[in-house]
Amino acid sequence: MPLTGVAFTKGHGTGNDFVLVTDPDGELEIAPDHVRTICDRHRGIGADGLIRAIRSHHLPEGRALLQSDPSAEWFMDYRNADGSLSEMCGNGVRVFVHLLVSAGLLSLAEGATASIATRGGIKLVERSPDGYSVDMGPWEFIFPDVATARGTDCLVEADGLEVPRPALSISMGNPHTVVALADPAELEATRLVDAPVVQPPPADGTNVEFVVPRDPLVQDGVGQVRMRVHERGVGETLSCGTGACAAAAATRFWAGAEAPLVWKVDVPGGVVGVRFHAGPDGREHVSLSGPAVLVATGTLL
């Protein structure tokens, strides 16, 4: 079934924006060209990515996840603005759940949780008074031996930075490279029109976060950082949920054993919360909290 005549919703989480379509029975054929056209900010609707809501049993990845959690009825089929598939999107999954709730496809009372299937695994989403909180699962180093021995594992070149900067590669189910900068002026001077060059790069490419700690770093027990991000397949975005988690994880690692478990990450599109906690699998998990906003509906022509 082509996309012509299909209803869509536009939404965002702290400025990270998406076009969302509901396809419960897997009838739509979504090609990369369709995604690029829809997400084009000058010739299309404009978005950082396209999200399809499809019942999990219609996709091989979803059927596999249902084996471990039969309650994961809905699969978040996420594509970057360039049409490429992506494992997960922390801001996107909040907006995805808000769409399902608003459309009556999912019942979720305040304080209740829902299991959402993604290519990055099952994500537990809790409804809160000011939005949604997502258990993003465990974080881990992409190059653990080098990271733990040196504190960094790669170098990043970016337009506006005079020399390559050391960085840390972290997986949140999707790859991230976190660069610490000295002050807000450096953060503002970094130009993210072109993708930063990462050496060595993670195997599947990477999102690159540039982070400046607040002064003081910790206030009232909460760590604070500012962040800008270049997302693979998209470019600079106003926010990145998995990127905020990776930025907090890297900064916390650099800060040492006394670093807090709760962080506030300021992004150009707003503020998200990050919390580290013990997961049911015995590993350290990261939860991401923030708003989800639906702004428009329409029909694709």
Side-chain angles (χ1 to χ4, degrees), residues 88-95 97 113-114 116 118 122-128 131-137 172 242 245 273-275 277 285-290:
M88 232 307 273
C89 175
N91 290 317
V93 72
R94 296 198 313 274
V95 179
V97 170
T113 61
I116 301 298
T118 77
I122 300 286
K123 304 301 175 187
L124 290 178
V125 182
E126 178 180 342
R127 192 168 188 180
S128 59
Y132 298 86
S133 176
V134 187
D135 184 342
M136 304 292 286
M172 285 300 312
T242 52
C245 294
V274 175
R275 180 174 62 88
H277 58 94
H285 282 220
V286 188
S287 286
L288 173 74
S289 60

Side-chain angles (χ1 to χ4, degrees), residues 27-115:
E27 298 175 333
L28 299 180
E29 298 176 4
I30 303 177
D33 282 349
H34 296 150
V35 178
R36 287 191 287 268
T37 299
I38 291 168
C39 293
D40 189 301
R41 296 195 180 278
H42 300 286
R43 299 178 179 88
I45 299 165
D48 293 325
L50 184 142
I51 301 174
R52 174 172 64 154
I54 181 173
R55 288 194 168 91
S56 296
H57 66 264
H58 289 296
L59 292 175
E61 306 98 310
R63 290 192 291 271
L65 291 170
L66 285 170
Q67 299 298 312
S68 61
D69 188 344
S71 71
E73 176 185 6
W74 291 99
F75 191 99
M76 186 184 85
D77 180 18
Y78 180 61
R79 294 137 199 272
N80 294 314
D82 68 352
S84 61
L85 295 175
S86 183
E87 299 90 344
M88 232 307 273
C89 175
N91 290 317
V93 72
R94 296 198 313 274
V95 179
F96 175 80
V97 170
H98 194 43
L99 171 72
L100 295 177
V101 171
S102 300
L105 297 172
L106 176 68
S107 178
L108 193 64
E110 189 176 308
T113 61
S115 295

